[in-house]
């Protein structure tokens, strides 16, 4: 275990910010940070006194139940966090299955074997070792993998039945020359001594509800050979196969009954059954329901001999080392389905989860906040007074300050309920003094409300915007505020721009037909520092064209592979735009209109479907919410500052080893940088956003030495500094 790494760095934000000042321009996968939850457990294996837990957030390796375990995620060579199984073969080599790949998990140099080039992007579900080969169950059939050919190679995928040729294979049991499968189409068995014959369904025998109605359901989750008998667990219960009478009979185990069995684990000469009935043990003494109170169905577990580990269907990892079952505390975030993310002005990260409310990253620990989320959570934003606004689907909105969560709904604000009698928060925007909230489809109109942050508890201080002000649509999706303007994106009616603090509030309406918006189906609205309004739609990205002086939007052509359905936007102080889509992330450089594309294949991005983004005002890092966890991309500009007197150039010394090396400036506003020799000769003028490549205005490399820089913003403010250039 000496090669493992722990993804809970014990660093203060100040140390992190200082370290960012020497980052290279390009952040590789190792520079990314992944935050995940290890509460959704799929399988456990005890390997060399370490419990390896396969989860939807990666692998958790526990050696001490009272200490934080080692964690392994996509950026550690797994390539995915959606891990389903782990085994160790006779050579002590670990193998991991997950979404789209098999991983040879051998310390600091894991090797991935993607399924995509051969079978498409399959989800691998389980794995068994027979010495030379691995038998792998997937969501589309059984796969044979040779460990010996060319360092590892997929050999074949087998057709199991003639109707559903490639059913999902959830579990595998090897018994001599026989291979038993738990599948979505029943129990399947074949002779594996000649694998090439398994490509024909005729060589498989399948037992299902057609041939054996007693099984109750065709979905079989687990199979196990225990004491020379085959045990079968699925949606219909637990069964043992009996062939003593000359025919195959599946006899039900009455203690379990007709409830779902989720796992069968053989430990210490006993078979442990995890089911909706609870935890059952099969041994020489018969079949016994073990004591233990669980808040939801036990999904899987492992008996170490001294105590048992149990994972629950609703999430969480528990052990009974002290008698009663106790939660293992070190499991990361509440869950991996991250609905949205925000960062407070003082750098506290807060993530919103679909079904588990909100959690904040405090002292490198995720601290959950409990409140009712209704059907799910919706939007989250931090205000400038230190509050975090967390929206819900049907339960209004909560403002969280410290350990206090205050609910705002139709009882203490003008927020109106929808047709079901619920307040569904659909948008949040903040200014230095106000909060703006929108409710989805309110029956009484007035979908947008707002209030001063210092008067939130005074009902009469709240105001609203609706049809009387020109806001003629109730299906609000997103809000953004800047310099007195409130942009309102709708589900199918374009964008409204309102001025709430002008006498006689009046809203302008912008649409695809009248104003060249990419689409009237709006997903997200955001303002850039120059005041331009950016609109992400289901069919592309639009930006209000300030230069034309007309009320028209220009379409921003997206790079190949990104969009057209835009899900999120984040714009930094220089005007660069981070564009989230359902198929990846792109950075738009406002200086040269170029794009950099990030996906889970070419970077440390945890998943390609982006649900929300937020830029840390302290470090400049980008936090990205996805369905498989939270990603952090380190700022290539360093910790940002808007004080031009505090601007630094980095890295300093500026060592040029390749043409890709750039000197960056951490000024968080547009501006120009002039580079001079110490004699006062002008070398080069660049925009802050560009950085300096060590060349003069003629494109010629300058010599090593000390250079001066003067930075000026668009308002004429000036900052100065010097840098040592070293050319290798």
């Amino acid at each position: 275990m000496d090669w493992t790494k722990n993804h809970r760095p014990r660093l203060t934000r100040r140390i992190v910010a200082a370290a960012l000042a020497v980052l290279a321009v390009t952040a590789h996968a190792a520079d990314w940070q992944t935050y995940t939850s290890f509460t959704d457990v799929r399988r456990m294996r005890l390997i060399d006194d370490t419990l390896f837990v396969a989860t939807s957030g990666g692998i958790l390796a526990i050696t001490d139940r009272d200490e934080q375990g080692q964690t392994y995620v996509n950026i550690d060579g797994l390539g995915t966090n959606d891990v389903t199984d782990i085994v160790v073969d006779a050579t002590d080599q670990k193998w991991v299955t997950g979404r789209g790949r098999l991983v040879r998990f051998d310390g600091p140099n894991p090797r991935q074997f993607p399924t995509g080039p051969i079978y498409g992007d399959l989800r691998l579900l389980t794995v068994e070792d027979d010495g030379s080969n691995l038998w792998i169950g997937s969501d589309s059939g059984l796969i044979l993998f040779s460990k010996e050919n060319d360092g590892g190679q997929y050999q074949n995928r087998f057709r199991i039945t003639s109707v559903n040729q490639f059913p999902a294979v959830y579990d595998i049991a090897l018994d001599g020359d026989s291979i038993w499968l738990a599948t979505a189409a029943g129990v399947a068995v074949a002779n594996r001594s000649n694998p090439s014959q398994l490509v024909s369904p005729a060589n498989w025998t399948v037992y299902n509800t057609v041939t054996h109605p007693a099984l109750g359901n065709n979905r079989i989750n687990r199979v196990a050979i225990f004491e020379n008998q085959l045990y079968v667990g699925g949606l219909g219960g637990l069964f043992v196969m009996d062939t003593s009478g000359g025919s195959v009979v599946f006899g039900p185990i009455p203690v379990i009954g007709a409830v779902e069995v989720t796992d069968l684990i053989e430990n210490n000469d006993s078979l442990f059954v995890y089911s909706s009935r609870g935890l059952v043990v099969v041994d020489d003494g018969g079949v016994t329901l073990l004591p233990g109170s669980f808040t939801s169905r036990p999904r899987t577990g492992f008996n170490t001999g001294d105590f048992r580990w149990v994972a629950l269907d609703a999430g969480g990892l528990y052990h009974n080392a002290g008698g009663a079952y106790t939660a293992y505390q070190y499991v990361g975030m509440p869950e991996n389905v991250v609905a949205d993310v925000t960062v407070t002005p003082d750098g506290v990260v807060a993530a919103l989860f679909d079904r588990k409310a909100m959690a904040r990253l405090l002292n490198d620990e995720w601290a959950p906040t409990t409140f009712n989320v209704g059907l799910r959570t919706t939007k989250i934003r931090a205000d400038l007074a230190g509050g975090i606004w967390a929206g819900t689907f049907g339960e209004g909105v909560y403002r969280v300050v410290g350990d206090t969560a205050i609910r705002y709904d139709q009882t203490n604000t003008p927020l109106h309920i929808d047709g079901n009698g619920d307040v569904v928060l659909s948008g949040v925007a903040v200014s230095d003094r106000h909060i703006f909230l929108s409710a989805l489809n309110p029956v009484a109109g007035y979908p947008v409300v707002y209030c001063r942050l210092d008067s939130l508890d005074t009902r009469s201080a709240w105001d609203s915007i609706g049809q009387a002000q020109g806001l003629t649509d109730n299906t609000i999706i997103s809000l953004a505020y800047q310099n007195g303007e409130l942009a309102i994106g709708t589900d199918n009616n374009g964008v409204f721009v309102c001025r709430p603090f002008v006498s006689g509030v009046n809203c302008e309406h912008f649409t695809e037909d009248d104003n060249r918006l990419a689409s009237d189906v709006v997903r997200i609205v955001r303002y850039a520092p120059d005041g331009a309004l950016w609109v992400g739609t289901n069919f592309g990205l639009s930006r209000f064209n300030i230069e034309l002086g007309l009320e028209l939007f220009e379409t921003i052509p997206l790079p190949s592979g990104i969009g057209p359905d835009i899900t999120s936007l984040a714009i930094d102080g220089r005007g660069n735009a981070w564009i989230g889509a359902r198929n990846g992330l792109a950075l738009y450089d406002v200086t040269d209109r170029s794009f950099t594309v990030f996906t889970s294949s070419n970077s440390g991005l945890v998943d390609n479907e982006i649900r929300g983004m937020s830029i840390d005002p302290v470090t400049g890092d980008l936090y990205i919410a996805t369905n498989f966890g939270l990603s952090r991309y380190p700022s290539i500009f360093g910790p940002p500052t808007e004080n031009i007197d505090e601007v630094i150039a980095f890295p300093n010394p500026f060592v040029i080893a390749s043409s890709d090396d750039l000197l960056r400036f951490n000024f968080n506003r547009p501006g120009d940088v002039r580079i001079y020799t110490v004699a006062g000769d002008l070398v080069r003028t660049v925009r802050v956003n560009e950085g300096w490549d060590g060349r003069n205005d003629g494109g010629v490399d300058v010599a090593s030495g000390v250079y001066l820089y003067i930075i000026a913003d668009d308002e004429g403010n000036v900052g100065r500094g010097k840098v040592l250039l070293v050319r290798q």
Side-chain angles (χ1 to χ4, degrees):
M1 292 292 293
D2 57 340
W3 47 265
T4 59
K5 66 185 291 189
N6 188 323
H7 280 275
R8 305 181 69 83
R10 301 294 176 179
L11 298 175
T12 65
R13 299 195 64 82
R14 185 172 299 175
I15 296 174
V16 171
L20 287 171
V22 295
L23 283 174
V25 171
T26 302
H28 303 285
D31 297 316
W32 290 70
Q33 177 72 43
T34 296
Y35 301 94
T36 61
S37 167
F38 299 91
T39 59
D40 179 22
V41 177
R42 279 73 183 274
R43 217 74 190 276
M44 303 184 205
R45 306 278 187 177
L46 189 65
I47 304 173
D48 296 332
D49 297 325
T50 296
L51 186 71
F52 283 83
V53 186
T55 80
S56 64
I59 295 175
L60 177 62
I62 304 172
T63 55
D64 187 331
R65 65 180 184 269
D66 297 318
E67 298 291 336
Q68 164 64 40
Q70 306 292 328
T71 60
Y72 307 91
V73 294
N74 60 315
I75 57 178
D76 298 313
L78 296 180
T80 179
N81 289 338
D82 187 9
V83 177
T84 54
D85 204 355
I86 181 170
V87 296
V88 60
D89 63 21
T91 66
D92 291 329
Q93 173 64 65
K94 301 178 186 70
W95 297 87
V96 173
T97 54
R99 184 175 295 274
R101 70 209 68 216
L102 172 73
V103 182
R104 188 173 66 199
F105 189 50
D106 57 354
N109 299 302
R111 180 178 176 185
Q112 298 178 33
F113 298 90
T115 63
I118 304 174
Y119 305 120
D121 191 22
L122 303 182
R123 185 168 182 253
L124 305 187
L125 303 175
T126 188
V127 58
E128 283 293 328
D129 172 63
D130 73 2
S132 300
N133 303 304
L134 297 174
W135 297 88
I136 303 169
S138 79
D139 59 359
S140 184
L142 175 70
I143 297 171
L144 180 64
F145 179 89
S146 170
K147 296 187 291 182
E148 299 175 347
N149 290 352
D150 196 27
Q153 188 177 78
Y154 291 108
Q155 298 295 295
N156 217 328
R157 184 165 64 127
F158 305 108
R159 295 173 174 83
I160 308 301
T161 72
S162 57
V163 179
N164 179 14
Q165 294 188 339
F166 299 108
V169 175
Y170 303 113
D171 199 17
I172 302 169
L174 304 180
D175 183 27
D177 288 338
S178 297
I179 180 170
W180 292 90
L181 307 180
T183 82
V187 184
V189 63
N191 187 307
R192 63 186 175 90
S193 58
N194 187 351
S196 63
Q197 295 182 355
L198 300 185
V199 296
S200 171
N203 291 317
W204 288 89
T205 300
V206 178
Y207 305 104
N208 53 32
T209 55
V210 174
T211 61
H212 293 77
L215 288 172
N217 195 290
N218 283 338
R219 171 161 174 163
I220 306 299
N221 294 324
R222 295 290 189 236
V223 289
I225 307 295
F226 178 67
E227 295 182 342
N228 298 317
Q229 288 185 297
L230 176 72
Y231 286 83
V232 174
L235 292 183
L238 178 66
F239 304 85
V240 60
M241 190 176 80
D242 183 5
T243 59
S244 60
S247 60
V248 174
V249 176
F250 288 93
I253 305 297
V255 172
I256 299 294
V259 299
E260 183 176 8
V261 171
T262 54
D263 211 352
L264 301 173
I265 302 292
E266 184 178 355
N267 294 143
N268 303 322
D269 300 324
S270 297
L271 182 67
F272 290 87
V273 184
Y274 297 84
S275 73
S276 298
R277 190 72 66 202
L279 181 55
V280 173
V281 63
V282 180
D283 55 22
D284 292 337
V287 182
T288 307
L289 180 64
L290 295 177
S293 177
F294 303 108
T295 56
S296 68
R297 176 178 61 193
R299 174 187 288 185
T300 187
F302 201 90
N303 182 17
T304 65
D306 297 325
F307 58 91
R308 284 184 292 274
W309 289 89
V310 175
L312 300 184
D313 196 54
L317 187 58
Y318 298 80
H319 62 77
N320 68 343
Y325 281 94
T326 303
Y328 179 72
Q329 300 294 328
Y330 310 103
V331 290
M333 302 189 303
E335 67 168 300
N336 282 319
V337 185
V338 187
D340 203 359
V341 62
T342 192
V343 187
T344 66
D346 57 353
V348 175
V349 180
L352 202 61
F353 304 91
D354 262 10
R355 297 171 296 275
K356 297 289 181 66
M358 187 192 93
R360 288 167 294 180
L361 187 59
L362 303 174
N363 299 319
D364 300 312
E365 299 283 348
W366 286 97
T369 299
T370 302
F371 49 77
N372 193 353
V373 299
L375 297 178
R376 62 179 184 271
T377 56
T378 55
K379 307 285 186 179
I380 188 170
R381 290 293 295 276
D383 63 43
L384 300 184
I388 300 171
W389 294 82
T392 73
F393 195 102
E395 291 293 332
V397 59
Y398 290 79
R399 185 175 190 247
V400 180
V401 180
D403 295 327
T404 302
I406 301 175
R407 177 177 170 178
Y408 294 90
D409 55 22
Q410 72 273 22
T411 66
N412 54 357
T413 79
L415 282 170
H416 289 291
I417 60 176
D418 66 4
N420 296 317
D422 302 319
V423 172
V424 179
L425 190 87
S426 61
V428 184
V430 298
S431 72
D432 57 345
R433 297 179 181 176
H434 289 81
I435 183 71
F436 303 86
L437 309 172
S438 63
L440 187 65
N441 286 322
V443 293
Y446 294 96
V448 175
V449 302
Y450 58 98
C451 186
R452 285 180 61 98
L453 293 173
D454 58 7
S455 304
L456 295 173
D457 296 329
T458 303
R459 176 64 173 79
S460 60
W462 288 81
D463 209 338
S464 57
I465 302 174
Q467 189 166 358
Q469 290 76 35
L471 180 55
T472 57
D473 196 292
N474 279 345
T475 56
I476 309 303
I477 298 299
S478 179
L479 300 177
Y481 180 87
Q482 183 169 292
N483 296 332
E485 288 189 351
L486 181 67
I488 303 170
T490 71
D491 182 52
N492 198 30
N493 200 12
V495 175
F496 292 82
V497 175
C498 308
R499 294 169 180 81
F501 306 117
V502 175
S503 178
V505 178
N506 185 37
C507 299
E508 297 180 74
H509 190 194
F510 300 90
T511 64
E512 179 181 357
D513 291 338
D514 295 337
N515 308 95
R516 299 182 185 176
L517 200 61
S519 170
D520 286 336
V521 181
V522 176
R523 307 294 197 202
I524 185 78
V525 290
R526 288 290 181 265
Y527 279 104
D530 63 0
L533 176 62
W534 291 66
V535 181
T537 76
N538 71 326
F539 206 67
L541 181 64
S542 296
R543 180 176 64 180
F544 194 80
N545 197 323
I546 297 177
E547 297 176 357
L548 287 179
L550 303 174
E551 293 185 341
L552 298 176
F553 286 85
E554 61 175 328
T555 298
I556 304 296
L558 296 172
S560 176
I562 296 296
D565 197 350
I566 306 303
T567 57
S568 185
L569 288 170
I571 303 175
D572 68 20
R574 303 166 195 82
N576 303 309
W578 290 95
I579 303 159
R582 300 190 188 278
N583 50 6
L585 174 69
L587 171 61
Y588 176 79
D589 190 316
V590 72
T591 301
D592 59 10
R593 292 179 171 244
S594 64
F595 284 94
T596 304
V597 174
F598 303 90
T599 68
S600 58
S601 299
N602 70 1
S603 72
L605 183 64
V606 70
D607 185 60
N608 287 336
E609 183 167 351
I610 313 302
R611 299 191 64 182
M613 293 186 289
S614 185
I615 297 174
D616 187 332
V618 176
T619 66
D621 297 350
L622 177 72
Y623 286 85
I624 307 150
T626 80
N627 286 325
F628 283 91
L630 186 67
S631 287
R632 177 182 64 83
Y633 181 77
S635 170
I636 62 174
F637 298 102
T641 180
E642 296 182 7
N643 187 340
I644 203 165
D645 294 328
E646 297 177 356
V647 174
I648 61 171
F650 66 95
N652 193 358
F654 176 32
V655 180
I656 301 180
S658 74
S659 59
D660 294 329
D661 293 327
L662 288 175
L663 184 71
R664 295 287 189 179
F665 303 89
N666 70 332
F667 188 49
N668 201 35
R669 285 286 182 264
D672 292 314
V673 180
R674 296 190 297 276
I675 310 295
Y676 294 90
T677 67
V678 291
D681 298 323
L682 180 63
V683 175
R684 181 82 175 272
T685 301
V686 297
R687 293 292 287 175
V688 169
N689 204 48
E690 293 178 81
W692 181 42
D693 59 6
R695 297 184 176 95
N696 62 23
D697 278 332
V700 178
D701 291 344
V702 301
S704 298
V706 175
Y707 291 84
L708 309 178
Y709 64 84
I710 296 178
I711 183 168
D713 64 17
D714 292 346
E715 297 176 356
N717 301 306
V718 174
R720 296 174 173 81
K722 62 182 178 180
V723 63
L724 172 63
L725 184 148
V726 179
R727 191 173 295 281
Q728 291 187 342

